[in-house]
Amino acid sequence: MSWQSYVDEHLMMDLGRGQHLSAAAILGQDGSVWAQSASFPALEEGEIANIVKAFDDSSELAMHGLFLGGSKYMVIQGEPGAVIRGKKGPGGVTIKKTNSALIIGIYDEPVQPGDCNIVVERIGDYLVDQGI
């Protein structure tokens, strides 16, 4: 299965009631784009490096926010070293770290944060189990 298939068929899948994530991507931890939805925001310099660093020390993101495509998200919770979750108005973002990649899902209402978390973390957990 191609990386684009993971994005199209799993991350951007129908969550029920005709709802989908707003955007999704699988990126290398070096910031390289492995696959992304057409709606995924253009990343700005340093954003992925800051996110990768935050998996070791989230204090910077907690103080200044998480930036993705120039949009600022307030970091609300996560799992140290594994998941970062952010909120922006009625939407938000979930980022799951694997051995070599970042799985990113962005959502807006009416999608619920928990739905985004499940979709992103399920793919991330599978990739971790595969050694990726």
Side-chain angles (χ1 to χ4, degrees):
M1 182 179 287
S2 73
W3 291 118
Q4 193 62 50
S5 294
Y6 280 102
V7 171
D8 296 340
E9 297 172 18
H10 298 286
L11 292 170
M12 296 299 292
M13 66 183 229
D14 186 335
L15 300 170
R17 304 169 307 280
Q19 298 175 7
H20 300 82
L21 296 181
S22 302
I26 301 174
L27 307 175
Q29 290 183 22
D30 61 358
S32 61
V33 178
W34 294 6
Q36 65 183 18
S37 65
S39 55
F40 195 76
L43 299 171
E44 296 185 4
E45 188 174 334
E47 289 179 336
I48 296 304
N50 289 337
I51 291 169
V52 169
K53 282 191 278 183
F55 279 102
D56 293 327
D57 177 13
S58 63
S59 63
E60 191 70 22
L61 288 186
M63 288 189 323
H64 302 289
L66 178 151
F67 287 85
L68 196 61
S71 292
K72 182 179 180 177
Y73 294 84
M74 178 180 64
V75 175
I76 54 172
Q77 62 174 316
E79 298 169 26
V83 178
I84 295 172
R85 297 183 186 106
K87 187 85 171 130
K88 178 183 165 214
V93 64
T94 302
I95 305 171
K96 169 74 177 178
K97 181 182 174 197
T98 71
N99 297 331
S100 56
L102 299 174
I103 315 304
I104 303 174
I106 300 171
Y107 66 93
D108 285 305
E109 282 186 335
V111 173
Q112 297 297 305
D115 292 334
C116 182
N117 296 343
I118 289 168
V119 170
V120 170
E121 293 176 42
R122 184 181 320 154
I123 295 298
D125 289 343
Y126 172 77
L127 295 177
V128 167
D129 289 345
Q130 300 304 306
I132 298 171

